[in-house]
Amino acid sequence: MNWNMEMGCDQAILLAAAFCLLCIEGGGIPTTLDGPFNPITVPLDTSFRGNAEDLPHTDPRLQRNVQGFQPEQISLTLSATYDSVWISWVTGEFQIGDNIKPLDPSTVSSQVFYGKKKHHLTHMSNGHSLVYNQLYPFEGLQNYTSGIIHHVRLKGLKPDTVYYYQCGDASIPALSDILQFKTMPRSGPRSYPSRIGVVGDLGLTYNMTSTICQMMRNDPDVIVLVGDVCYANLYLTNGTGSDCYSCSFSQTPIHETYQPRWDYWGRFMQPVISKIPIMVVEGNHEIEKQAENQTFVAYSSRFAFPSKESGSSSTFYYSFNAGGIHFIMLGAYIAYGKSEEQYRWLERDLKNVDRKVTPWLVATWHAPWYSTYKAHYREAECMRVAMEDLLYNYGVDIVFNGHVHAYERSNRVYNYTLDPCGPVHITVGDGGNREKMAIPHADEPGQCPQPSTTPDKYMGGFCAFNFTSGPAAGRFCWDRQPDYSAYRETSFGHGILEMKNETFALWTWHRNQDLYNLPGDQIYIVRQPDKCPIQTKVSSKVIITEE
């Protein structure tokens, strides 16, 4: 893939190779059937802290390199099924300052020309466009209005097929170069994308560039981003940034953002996500409160989501198929109680999953339920209390989260108890953002947080109480690494998921400081549908199972 990534990409070093643990004697790759595993904490490598400094706006990869209304920030998103994808892009220039005048979306068409032959683009689809504003009702703060954002859905595509496309407006003319993508394979028990890249909490730092570079060397067919995209909310509207907003800017009348960081991120990522679909779910750094209490405007405007196709009315939660995998993307920052629309949608979506067609069920949201780090410890407990039973009863196999800036993989767990039918929870909030890494663990002496400090400030509620049973009974934290935590390590990196068949999936986590082909953590996740039947209907009186 020919694109200019961070110059250190080809010079990855082996500072942490000594900690490449495979959790099994003889050097073979373990499976979840060998578990539950004794907890492992990889010692902190103090010699490697990475370079989690943001790329400056002067970096050539962040500059606008098109003219007029030519497309930029081009990206791909999957629809709910293999036969459809979304193409998104931006035309025109953003404005920031006191006197901004939004562009008129109707002045530029949203067109995509596509076909199976590079120089014979025989099909054309139209879409819709929009402009969003980030406005602050306080003197001295700069307002922002975006370029024109376009979203076009292509339909009737063949599975596992390469398509070429151009996007833009042919009447100006203002068209992109001819690009290409490959559709997902048809859903079925033996039909899977080769590799799925999983990343979280990226930002736009020098270390993030290493994360993306190494992930691309592993050649994923689709990328799942588990929230926290560009960290525009670590900046004031004048472009002044900090690793800790509340530490540096505690006196601001509203939590400001510097929206051009979104444009910089889209430009940097275009060489990747204009060819490989990216599926995004919101994180807390996408809240971005503005005038009239609006939130998540940039997130909901810039990406396309297969919400409508998957029966959702929200950009915060949706689902899609990637071959024989059904992905469920959930919102940790929108109401999730049992009487709320998200919960009702989730229940409908799970009921509609045919495990004979999509045997694998993977769920993703931002804030983890089973992280043992002090940072964000048990922060999403109310979401867990509301939704864990439903996900368990329908046999979710794997859960991916971010938020905590480290890596952790659980044993199979349900309700804080080792359970052979529970999902494996994997936290990959280690993409490289400028807030640096999470280091202390809640089970270390003096590191257990006060329960009153743990609830998520945006969602509110209090559900995290002392444990009532098990080794930590009567306490809020364990006094050692919990049994449900199989492996944890503070390091930047990314993960690759490979479904081998309807039973075995290979999960590999790569550290940034290692050679790209040297795994930091690796395990086969094995489904056992015969021992863990799906409970398709749950009530207080009867449980109907599906063998």
Side-chain angles (χ1 to χ4, degrees):
M1 199 156 288
N2 183 22
W3 62 299
N4 182 23
M5 184 49 77
E6 165 68 13
M7 65 180 179
C9 175
D10 293 321
Q11 302 171 0
I13 56 177
L14 290 169
L15 290 175
F19 300 129
C20 181
L21 304 175
L22 293 178
C23 309
I24 190 170
E25 293 183 2
I29 300 174
T31 79
T32 50
L33 300 181
D34 302 317
F37 300 98
N38 292 327
I40 291 176
T41 297
V42 174
L44 179 67
D45 181 3
T46 57
S47 68
F48 181 81
R49 298 267 45 87
N51 191 357
E53 300 298 324
D54 268 348
L55 297 179
H57 71 277
T58 55
D59 189 293
R61 294 165 292 183
L62 313 188
Q63 301 303 301
R64 186 172 187 264
N65 58 9
V66 298
Q67 302 296 320
F69 285 103
Q70 288 181 307
E72 62 157 345
Q73 304 178 50
I74 304 169
S75 64
L76 285 164
T77 302
L78 297 178
S79 186
T81 53
Y82 71 83
D83 56 354
S84 178
V85 302
W86 287 91
I87 312 289
S88 303
W89 68 95
V90 177
T91 55
E93 298 189 55
F94 69 78
Q95 303 164 56
I96 186 167
D98 296 326
N99 299 306
I100 58 173
K101 183 179 179 181
L103 298 174
D104 181 359
S106 67
T107 59
V108 185
S109 296
S110 306
Q111 299 174 323
V112 175
F113 301 88
Y114 62 102
K116 296 179 185 178
K117 296 181 179 180
K118 185 173 184 179
H119 299 292
H120 194 55
L121 306 181
T122 55
H123 302 278
M124 192 270 281
S125 289
N126 292 300
H128 66 275
S129 60
L130 60 100
V131 166
Y132 82 88
N133 302 314
Q134 189 79 13
L135 305 177
Y136 297 102
F138 299 99
E139 185 176 353
L141 303 192
Q142 299 186 63
N143 294 320
Y144 170 94
T145 184
S146 71
I148 301 171
I149 301 170
H150 305 260
H151 300 299
V152 177
R153 184 182 173 195
L154 312 186
K155 302 178 184 179
L157 306 177
K158 301 297 182 183
D160 210 18
T161 300
V162 173
Y163 283 87
Y164 297 90
Y165 74 95
Q166 274 186 304
C167 60
D169 185 339
S171 68
I172 295 180
L175 292 171
S176 69
D177 294 336
I178 297 177
L179 301 164
Q180 68 181 71
F181 65 89
K182 187 177 181 180
T183 54
M184 288 293 103
R186 189 186 304 272
S187 291
R190 295 175 180 81
S191 178
Y192 300 96
S194 297
R195 284 167 295 278
I196 298 166
V198 185
V199 290
D201 301 69
L202 283 174
L204 190 55
T205 67
Y206 290 100
N207 220 326
M208 170 267 202
T209 68
S210 298
T211 300
I212 298 300
C213 175
Q214 294 208 33
M215 180 179 65
M216 295 314 299
R217 287 189 165 207
N218 283 307
D219 196 22
D221 294 320
V222 61
I223 299 167
V224 175
L225 173 51
V226 297
D228 285 0
V229 181
C230 71
Y231 288 78
N233 74 336
L234 290 184
Y235 286 79
L236 300 179
T237 62
N238 64 12
T240 302
S242 172
D243 297 345
C244 174
Y245 186 98
S246 61
C247 305
S248 301
F249 312 126
S250 60
Q251 302 304 311
T252 55
I254 189 172
H255 192 130
E256 301 177 32
T257 69
Y258 188 63
Q259 290 295 301
R261 296 300 296 185
W262 280 99
D263 296 282
Y264 302 158
W265 193 90
R267 291 166 185 163
F268 180 87
M269 289 295 292
Q270 177 178 313
V272 174
I273 60 178
S274 62
K275 301 174 184 178
I276 300 170
I278 185 167
M279 309 304 291
V280 184
V281 71
E282 85 282 354
N284 59 301
H285 283 275
E286 281 73 72
I287 295 173
E288 298 188 335
K289 186 177 179 180
Q290 59 166 304
E292 299 180 353
N293 290 320
Q294 291 189 80
T295 53
F296 295 99
V297 177
Y299 161 82
S300 295
S301 300
R302 289 181 176 271
F303 296 105
F305 304 92
S307 300
K308 184 177 180 180
E309 301 100 278
S310 59
S312 168
S313 60
S314 172
T315 59
F316 293 82
Y317 52 89
Y318 60 91
S319 65
F320 65 95
N321 290 341
I325 315 165
H326 186 70
F327 277 92
I328 297 174
M329 314 291 274
L330 294 176
Y333 301 97
I334 188 172
Y336 39 65
K338 294 182 180 180
S339 63
E340 303 293 345
E341 177 54 32
Q342 178 176 202
Y343 187 95
R344 294 196 296 268
W345 169 85
L346 174 60
E347 193 167 28
R348 291 193 302 269
D349 191 81
L350 288 168
K351 286 180 179 178
N352 288 331
V353 176
D354 185 348
R355 301 300 280 270
K356 294 181 176 63
V357 178
T358 53
W360 287 94
L361 187 54
V362 178
T364 294
W365 60 90
H366 186 58
W369 296 348
Y370 288 100
S371 169
T372 61
Y373 285 83
K374 181 179 181 180
H376 308 301
Y377 179 69
R378 299 181 71 181
E379 184 179 288
E381 188 74 354
C382 287
M383 184 183 183
R384 186 194 69 81
V385 170
M387 288 185 159
E388 186 174 29
D389 285 353
L390 188 59
L391 297 179
Y392 177 82
N393 290 331
Y394 278 90
V396 168
D397 300 297
I398 307 170
V399 171
F400 289 115
N401 306 116
H403 202 36
V404 176
H405 301 160
Y407 172 74
E408 186 164 15
R409 171 177 54 83
S410 78
N411 285 304
R412 289 193 176 277
V413 61
Y414 166 65
N415 196 25
Y416 292 106
T417 303
L418 297 176
D419 188 315
C421 297
V424 175
H425 289 252
I426 299 174
T427 299
V428 285
D430 56 344
N433 74 85
R434 71 176 292 174
E435 285 187 319
K436 307 298 191 293
M437 301 174 180
I439 297 176
H441 305 107
D443 48 85
E444 294 171 352
Q447 297 297 336
C448 183
Q450 290 295 318
S452 61
T453 67
T454 58
D456 179 79
K457 294 179 181 178
Y458 181 75
M459 292 302 296
F462 183 81
C463 303
F465 299 96
N466 287 351
F467 294 105
T468 58
S469 62
R475 300 192 301 273
F476 192 63
C477 303
W478 289 55
D479 58 6
R480 57 178 172 81
Q481 185 174 354
D483 294 338
Y484 56 80
S485 173
Y487 182 102
R488 63 188 184 186
E489 179 175 349
T490 296
S491 186
F492 292 127
H494 75 280
I496 296 291
L497 181 65
E498 303 172 70
M499 268 57 184
K500 302 301 183 181
N501 52 45
E502 64 266 43
T503 306
F504 279 75
L506 178 62
W507 167 253
T508 307
W509 173 67
H510 296 272
R511 303 182 190 88
N512 279 5
Q513 63 265 39
D514 293 344
L515 289 178
Y516 76 94
N517 60 349
L518 182 65
D521 180 41
Q522 193 168 48
I523 190 169
Y524 279 107
I525 299 171
V526 184
R527 296 182 64 245
Q528 293 183 282
D530 54 331
K531 295 185 178 181
C532 302
I534 308 304
Q535 300 173 9
T536 57
K537 292 183 180 179
V538 182
S539 73
S540 59
K541 295 183 179 180
V542 62
I543 295 177
I544 302 174
T545 62
E546 179 181 290
E547 299 293 346

